[in-house]
Amino acid sequence: MHVENLSQNRSFGGWHKQYKHQSASLNCEMRFAIFLPPQTARGEKVPVMYWLSGLTCSDENFMQKAGAQRVAAELGIAIVAPDTSPRGDAVADEAERYDLGKGAGFYVNATQEPWSQHYRMYDYVVNELPALVEELFPVTDQRVISGHSMGGHGALTIALKNPNRYRSVSAFSPICNPVNCQWGQDAFRAYLGEDQAAWQQHDASVLMQQATEAQYLPTLVDQGEGDDFLNSQLRPETLQAAAKASTYPLELRRHEGYDHSYYFIASFIESHLRFHAQNLGLLSSI
């Protein structure tokens, strides 16, 4: 597996690095960022938090805006942030839209043309990227996953479908019920076609309601009450109802006045990292 280092920056005793590589899953060149905490310089292998970003974002938004490196360095957790979609001149796009095409991969494997040639973000996040990271960097196969908005949808659905691959999952302002909101319906219709049974396989509320105890993962979700997308696109009440129906271990916290921005993420990212650290066995309590 070959990767090319694009940049590196010292941060809280560790390193933030950005790489590109040719992705077999996505059939294009992809970029990702990784924060390696200072423990890795001492020869230790550390667990990884995979961070999935939202619409219009790339690997850079979280690493530059969330302020997660200080706590990750303290706890000894690496952070890996992939891009949100395939990129390149040959990759299909809807240039006039921000919620479809480049920057809007929705963490599914597209089955419809022209998207199916490149838009296989589910396979990339679940299989290809972790295999690459675990081969090339001083990390263990202990993983947690988190994300924001579209990335919160991705984190929740990927964890719900692959509970044995992760120790815990968290999300900020996730799209909780995409089969019943415009963002999700438009993306799923384009990428997956008209079969709504296929849509439901990537809907956190549907998957959580169907979950059995063997599939449970500790789950933390934060939602701002001042979020402009709260009622029209995010619908956290559907996730809460699903968790109640299946007794799923969901903690959903609502925060008065907070919006959809990285100001919200930066305000609570420390508690998410400590939540994951506890479930990774790095802390005895949050």
Side-chain angles (χ1 to χ4, degrees):
M1 296 184 183
H2 174 72
V3 298
E4 179 182 343
N5 181 234
L6 299 175
S7 67
Q8 56 184 17
N9 305 91
R10 196 82 164 135
S11 180
F12 292 97
W15 287 94
H16 167 271
K17 299 186 178 186
Q18 191 179 56
Y19 292 90
K20 69 178 180 180
H21 73 111
Q22 186 66 30
S23 167
S25 300
L26 302 172
N27 192 30
C28 67
E29 191 172 80
M30 284 294 285
R31 195 175 71 190
F32 69 91
I34 183 169
F35 173 71
L36 294 168
Q39 291 83 352
T40 61
R42 301 195 292 267
E44 298 178 31
K45 287 191 173 184
V46 299
V48 181
M49 182 181 82
Y50 288 86
W51 173 269
L52 307 183
S53 291
L55 292 167
T56 75
C57 293
S58 71
D59 61 291
E60 296 182 334
N61 298 72
F62 178 81
M63 292 300 202
Q64 294 180 5
K65 296 180 179 180
Q69 290 89 343
R70 176 184 62 81
V71 180
E74 172 197 330
L75 297 172
I77 298 174
I79 301 172
V80 172
D83 202 346
T84 50
S85 74
R87 307 276 183 173
D89 293 340
V91 173
D93 192 22
E94 289 284 349
E96 71 280 5
R97 296 187 62 169
Y98 73 92
D99 57 350
L100 189 65
K102 294 177 187 178
F106 267 83
Y107 305 101
V108 302
N109 287 340
T111 59
Q112 306 299 302
E113 293 294 340
W115 311 103
S116 59
Q117 296 181 49
H118 298 284
Y119 283 74
R120 301 185 64 83
M121 287 298 296
Y122 178 89
D123 279 354
Y124 182 70
V125 170
V126 174
N127 297 310
E128 184 179 2
L129 184 59
L132 183 153
V133 168
E134 288 163 21
E135 178 177 334
L136 298 180
F137 299 98
V139 301
T140 71
D141 62 0
Q142 294 182 327
R143 313 174 196 98
V144 298
I145 191 166
S146 186
H148 171 233
S149 194
M150 178 187 71
H153 140 77
L156 290 171
T157 55
I158 285 171
L160 283 158
K161 291 167 75 70
N162 301 275
N164 293 329
R165 290 186 65 83
Y166 305 97
R167 296 292 187 90
S168 52
V169 56
S170 71
F172 291 85
S173 315
I175 305 171
C176 295
N177 189 208
V179 301
N180 286 314
C181 77
Q182 198 67 52
W183 282 345
Q185 290 170 352
D186 288 352
F188 288 173
R189 184 168 288 111
Y191 299 148
L192 303 175
E194 295 294 342
D195 180 6
Q196 296 201 14
W199 297 11
Q200 292 179 359
Q201 291 305 303
H202 297 280
D203 185 298
S205 294
V206 173
L207 294 172
M208 191 171 285
Q209 184 165 342
Q210 296 172 345
T212 63
E213 188 172 353
Q215 298 169 296
Y216 288 175
L217 276 180
T219 302
L220 173 64
V221 172
D222 277 331
Q223 175 62 59
E225 294 286 358
D227 193 319
D228 289 341
F229 305 112
L230 176 58
N231 297 318
S232 61
Q233 306 288 357
L234 307 180
R235 307 191 65 193
E237 69 280 358
T238 62
L239 194 69
Q240 199 160 37
K244 183 177 181 181
S246 63
T247 65
Y248 195 91
L250 168 70
E251 180 181 3
L252 195 157
R253 308 185 300 195
R254 294 173 178 263
H255 304 274
E256 183 179 356
Y258 284 91
D259 60 18
H260 201 68
S261 72
Y262 267 83
Y263 293 107
F264 175 44
I265 297 170
S267 298
F268 297 100
I269 189 62
E270 179 170 353
S271 66
H272 281 238
L273 283 164
R274 294 192 183 280
F275 164 79
H276 289 303
Q278 181 186 20
N279 290 297
L280 287 163
L282 302 177
L283 293 175
S284 58
S285 60
I286 297 178

